[in-house]
Amino acid sequence: MRILVFANTPAHVHLYRHVVDRLQGEGHDVLVLTREYACTTALLDYFELPYRVYGGHGTDRYSKLRFARELGGQIRTIAREARRFGPDVVFGRGPYAAFAGTLTRTPVVLVLDDEPGDFNYAVSRPFADCILSPAVTRRNLGDAHYTFEGFKECAYLHPAVFERDEPVRDLLGVDPDEPFAIVRFNALDALHDTGLEGFEPEQRRDLIQRLSEHATVFVSDEGNDMDLEDLPAQWYDLHPALIHDAMAEASLLVADTGTMVNEAALLGTPAIRYRGTDDHEYGEFVELERADLAKQFDDYDSLREHSLELLADDGTAERWRRRREEYVADLVNLSELLVDVAESRGSIDRLSSSTRSSLQSKAALNQ
């Protein structure tokens, strides 16, 4: 079989990297189509995944006008690469995957979550043969929509696939028992981030200063806007492929971005998200809050005080470890599921009974 995968962001690379390895190991041909965005291609190189680049996406405030200008060239490249590869099934999450599948008359599998906005859903849904999403996703995307118990991050953070890289503390230069926090600032440059604001500049500085009173602080700034020269913090400068190992060792993650909050929570690290002006209700965050693995705040002062309380409490790490172990035990290994779906060419009916039992029809659940 020939499987075409769209990986447009670093999170997409992680979502599919174990799937691609498994499929290649079983003799299938796999091609990843990607764009130059943040560290996406760096991750593809690190994990030695077969890919071709169809375009770019800057980490500045990406405008709709700029997106429209570049879209034509990207579509032409995707068309050329898709025809040349001749896939038997296409994986992705939006219009690019839908276009490639329609052009090559190939089944399309979309792996979606509870992102805001309707663009990706509206454009891609009519062309999808199979839509997979976490059970906590609030949308009903029709008869082809199936849900699983877990999160898209279960493709790489499920206990069956995630292994810690023990030397990560040495690479960061922190002692075995030294508490450290990771602070992640979002560039908010994606199309669905238009108009959103996260931490304000003074809040960023204040947060770093206060956290540094309790832990070593590492800063990851997606937009490269910060100056740490007079702040008690260090840049997180390890290879981006090691971020989950670092998060698993961290005492705390604070961010105004979504995916890393989900990841930290599933790793058993206290995860705090600042919503800023984002008032969309994400099913994933609601579920992780219910499990006491993550917390969201609209108010900066409340976020800061809760973060400091967690760092000051000697029992925090053990509580989160227990909660995580109990919670993830029943979640689906998404990589395993996606391999089975790929080999069935996106047909739920062709799946084994054991694999089908891990899926629920969203339409049936809402009847």
Side-chain angles (χ1 to χ4, degrees), residues 16 19 27 29 67 124 131 138-139 150 174 176 179 182 216 246 326 336:
Y16 290 112
V19 178
D29 291 328
F67 171 77
S124 57
I131 301 173
R138 301 187 170 205
R139 297 174 189 257
V174 294
I182 298 175
T216 299
E326 292 172 4
E336 204 168 77

Side-chain angles (χ1 to χ4, degrees), residues 60-328:
D60 55 351
R61 293 301 177 112
Y62 201 69
S63 69
K64 292 182 180 179
L65 178 60
R66 182 177 167 193
F67 171 77
R69 284 201 307 265
E70 296 178 357
L71 182 60
Q74 294 183 1
I75 289 295
R76 287 192 293 274
T77 303
I78 290 169
R80 182 181 67 248
E81 296 293 348
R83 286 196 183 104
R84 179 184 298 165
F85 186 64
D88 295 298
V89 63
V90 177
F91 280 81
R93 65 174 289 115
Y96 296 130
F99 169 72
T102 302
L103 181 71
T104 58
R105 298 182 181 181
T106 304
V108 175
V109 178
L110 303 180
V111 183
L112 303 175
D113 54 10
D114 234 350
E115 73 170 33
D118 296 318
F119 179 74
N120 276 343
Y121 300 106
V123 173
S124 57
R125 172 185 169 183
F127 306 97
D129 296 86
C130 177
I131 301 173
L132 301 175
S133 73
V136 296
T137 302
R138 301 187 170 205
R139 297 174 189 257
N140 180 357
L141 299 174
D143 292 341
H145 186 188
Y146 292 84
T147 66
F148 57 90
E149 290 297 330
F151 303 81
K152 71 180 191 301
E153 293 83 6
C154 288
Y156 51 99
L157 297 181
H158 189 278
V161 295
F162 177 71
E163 295 181 2
R164 293 194 189 197
D165 187 348
E166 295 301 331
V168 72
R169 280 185 170 268
D170 294 335
L171 296 173
L172 288 170
V174 294
D175 294 333
D177 297 323
E178 181 178 347
F180 70 90
I182 298 175
V183 180
R184 169 69 165 180
F185 297 126
N186 198 345
L188 293 171
D189 61 335
L191 193 62
H192 60 254
D193 291 328
T194 302
L196 295 183
E197 298 289 341
F199 287 108
E200 296 176 1
E202 284 308 309
Q203 291 173 337
R204 292 183 175 197
R205 295 179 62 85
D206 179 65
L207 179 66
I208 290 170
Q209 288 171 336
R210 295 298 302 276
L211 293 180
S212 71
E213 297 170 6
H214 299 271
T216 299
V217 177
F218 291 95
V219 175
S220 172
D221 178 22
E222 187 178 29
N224 296 314
D225 297 324
M226 289 234 28
D227 181 358
L228 298 184
E229 186 173 350
D230 61 343
L231 288 172
Q234 306 174 46
W235 290 114
Y236 174 82
D237 59 1
L238 300 188
H239 193 286
L242 300 177
I243 186 61
H244 303 118
D245 303 292
M247 280 197 286
E249 288 287 327
S251 302
L252 179 71
L253 173 91
V254 183
D256 54 7
T257 181
T259 296
M260 285 183 66
V261 171
N262 287 355
E263 292 171 335
L266 292 173
L267 288 166
T269 298
I272 308 297
R273 176 178 179 251
Y274 182 51
R275 291 168 62 114
T277 60
D278 187 358
D279 59 2
H280 180 75
E281 198 67 59
Y282 300 84
E284 290 89 346
F285 295 144
V286 172
E287 172 63 13
L288 289 169
E289 282 190 298
R290 185 198 65 77
D292 286 331
L293 290 169
K295 196 166 182 64
Q296 300 184 89
F297 289 89
D298 298 314
D299 175 67
Y300 168 70
D301 289 340
S302 298
L303 174 145
R304 181 188 61 197
E305 294 313 308
H306 186 68
S307 300
L308 296 174
E309 289 171 6
L310 289 173
L311 285 177
D313 185 348
D314 292 337
T316 296
E318 179 59 23
R319 286 200 308 276
W320 255 258
R321 184 193 65 78
R322 291 198 307 269
R323 290 173 187 172
R324 184 252 183 186
E325 288 182 355
E326 292 172 4
Y327 184 72
V328 302

Side-chain angles (χ1 to χ4, degrees), residues 322-340:
R322 291 198 307 269
R323 290 173 187 172
R324 184 252 183 186
E325 288 182 355
E326 292 172 4
Y327 184 72
V328 302
D330 297 324
L331 300 184
V332 167
N333 178 346
L334 183 56
S335 282
E336 204 168 77
L337 173 61
L338 294 180
V339 168
D340 290 346

Side-chain angles (χ1 to χ4, degrees), residues 3-25 28-34 39-53 85 155-156 239 241 335:
I3 299 99
L4 180 63
V5 174
F6 282 83
N8 295 327
T9 71
H12 298 168
V13 177
H14 289 298
L15 170 62
Y16 290 112
R17 63 186 176 91
H18 292 293
V19 178
V20 172
D21 283 344
R22 279 276 306 277
L23 289 169
Q24 288 185 309
H28 303 298
D29 291 328
V30 185
L31 174 65
V32 177
L33 285 183
T34 189
C39 60
T40 304
T41 54
L43 288 172
L44 289 165
D45 287 330
Y46 184 91
F47 295 119
E48 299 181 342
L49 303 185
Y51 73 91
R52 293 187 187 131
V53 175
F85 186 64
Y156 51 99
H239 193 286
S335 282

